[in-house]
Amino acid sequence: MSILVNKNTRLIVQGITGNEGLFHTQQMLAYGTTVVAGVTPGKGGEWVLNDKVPVFDSVRMAVQATEANATVIFVPARFAPDAMYEAADAGIPLIVCITEGIPVQDMMRVREYLDQKQVRLLGPNCPGLLTPGESKVGIIPGDIALPGNIGVVSRSGTLTYEVLYALKLVGLGATTCVGIGGDPINGTNFIDCLDMFEADPQTEKIVMIGEIGGTDEEKAAQFIASRLTKPVVSFIAGQTAPPGKRMGHAGAIIEGGSGTAADKIKALQDAGVQVAKHPEEIPSLLR
Amino acid sequence: MKLHEYQSKSIFAKYGIPIPKGRVATTATEARQIAEELGGRVVVKSQVLVGGRGKAGGIRLAKSPKEAEELATQILGMEIKGLPVRKVLIDEAANIEQEIYLGITNDRAARRPVIMASAAGGVEIEEVARTSPEKIIKVHIDPLLGLRDFQSRDIAAGIDLPRDNWKEFARISLGLWRAYSENDATLAEINPLVITKDKHLVAVDGKMLIDDNALFRHADLAEMRDLDEEAGAETEARKYGLSFIKLDGQIGCMVNGAGLAMTTMDIVKLFNGEPANFLDIGGGANADKVAAALRIILSDNNVKVILINIFGGITRCDEVAKGILVALEEVKPKIPMVVRLVGTNSEEGIQLLAKAKMITANTLADAAQKSVLAAQGS
């Protein structure tokens, strides 16, 4: 078992003919992901990667031809909002957006529209997700993770790899690893993933990687205390980050003056979560 | 990106928000000329990108052009929170009856913009939020609909604005919303919005923050960036798409990914070292970017060791290794370097670096400890 993606995931890649899109499609195919099509407007009818993957002009055409049920987006930031609207409009239930640097007001509109369409979004500015041995959607290197019984959810990209790798070195593996992305406005959040891991019979323990800014970790801590039966181990990045490199006064008011690593660690510890001092300490806390 | 008060107010004016007459001066003589043109009392306002200008004596009332010149001389020689004052705004003084706060920002938790107002304007709004949060009215804005007039009326009623000013207030709120949304702001703030003695509204002070990610579609705003106001290394870093913040330690860090970069700083500190910077080379970093990153780190004379921590994903370790080799040719650093490459193409990367004399590390903790040790040794 796993969450969000598995053997039955039929993936399309938006932006498949770009550098990143093509490289990572190749990596996903090599891992065993079922990539059924790519989309690049103006290149419909072409085939890429030794004629393994057909390219379509639009998401709608790709879905009609292939019955895709998930998409991963590699298009540049200025085109990414349109790519997400297009995927939602074509009825794809899961959108994974890797693109970083999307303007925040665009993301507020995208999220509002996707919510109305009841589409699940992962990201943007995220590494995607990996169900070891079954499916990889995004850019998480496949060979750094083993299949196992730990659910991993993280706001960071490379820090997630760090944790998967540390688990692998001691023979521990993951059911699914989800990178929710570091942007202020994103789709799937910690609570969504914790909830799915709680419901997944194969997941026995959960690792949650947070960082400074926002209050998502504090909300997750409340959720853990009230709803979760499975043990959670956490790490929060940015304990030594200098303050003041964030938004102005009004932003601080909205966030209730919170967002520091110390606040998050305390909230998690109060909820019974073991918080690691550094990522390589996580495996020992899972024993 | 922060905009100066005079820049923010000129944007507000384009959207129909009334602002005082005034202009920017860089010399005291110019300040006097502007004050003469305006006639009557003027306010001399330092233009620096920090808060607390008033408290620092950077905003002063002048009763005559001569006094404006004197005050401008003083203020142009000042430093406010370490930033030298290079410009002053000379504004016609308003006849103030009451001061209101009006601002729009992103509510991250609600995933919507929020418009906020308070009858207790003119003071720092976070102070109001702390001492009497009930005095702040907040209304969320549907990002697909935008601000509606009924919402402006709700706010006006909520802060007990006289009914005679409601239409004017709705016009200003809508102008502020358009300034905010059409310029991709993350904050657009009028503080204070003044009710004058003759019962009109004027935006006496203004502030805007612009989303850096949106500057690609706002060439006019990108040009407003005040390069005098930021550290040179940070400007250089931005040019190459690097995210860099200077700190005070001895261990220069080069990492891919913001979360891992913060974690690398944290773990250096955990082993009793001090990071010299935060530096994220971003996803898909190529040789040019890596070389630029190394140059920026080495421009800081406090740096005794460089710690390179790369976990390849979208970034390929062999690309990073090539960048390191290019940079070494160019800058020839005389300080020790600790390198850790893991993930996509790490084998190739490590092979490329075998010739360069570097300390290698396998784990994050190992890399941090070796860096701290090397920093102590030098």
Side-chain angles (χ1 to χ4, degrees), chain B residues 111-155:
Chain B
R111 299 184 302 263
R112 283 164 179 245
V114 61
I115 181 162
M116 299 184 291
S118 172
V123 291
E124 285 186 7
I125 191 66
E126 80 266 56
E127 187 59 35
V128 182
R130 200 161 41 238
T131 54
S132 37
E134 74 287 350
K135 285 189 183 156
I136 301 178
I137 305 289
K138 296 178 191 171
V139 176
H140 285 101
I141 301 170
D142 184 321
L144 299 177
L145 274 184
L147 181 73
R148 310 304 307 180
D149 277 348
F150 79 89
Q151 296 179 305
S152 302
R153 289 194 295 273
D154 281 351
I155 297 165

Side-chain angles (χ1 to χ4, degrees), chain A residues 20 24 78 101 103-106 108 111-112 141 155 158-159 162 237-240 247 250 254-255 280, chain B residues 105-108 111-112 180-181 185 187 211 213 216-217 256 260 263 266 269 312 314 316 340 363-365:
Chain A
E20 306 291 354
H24 288 287
R78 63 182 71 189
V104 64
Q105 290 198 25
D106 276 327
M108 289 193 285
R111 179 67 205 265
E112 188 68 30
R155 251 169 87 181
T158 46
L159 178 54
E162 216 38 274
Q239 297 173 40
T240 58
M247 263 176 60
I254 291 302
E255 291 174 7
E280 286 161 349
Chain B
T105 188
N106 298 329
D107 183 345
R108 181 174 173 158
R111 299 184 302 263
R112 283 164 179 245
Y180 170 88
S181 57
L187 174 74
D211 183 353
N213 285 338
F216 69 84
R217 58 187 171 207
N256 65 325
L260 189 56
T263 303
D266 292 350
K269 201 127 177 170
I314 216 167
R316 303 171 208 172
R340 174 174 180 257
T363 65
L364 189 50

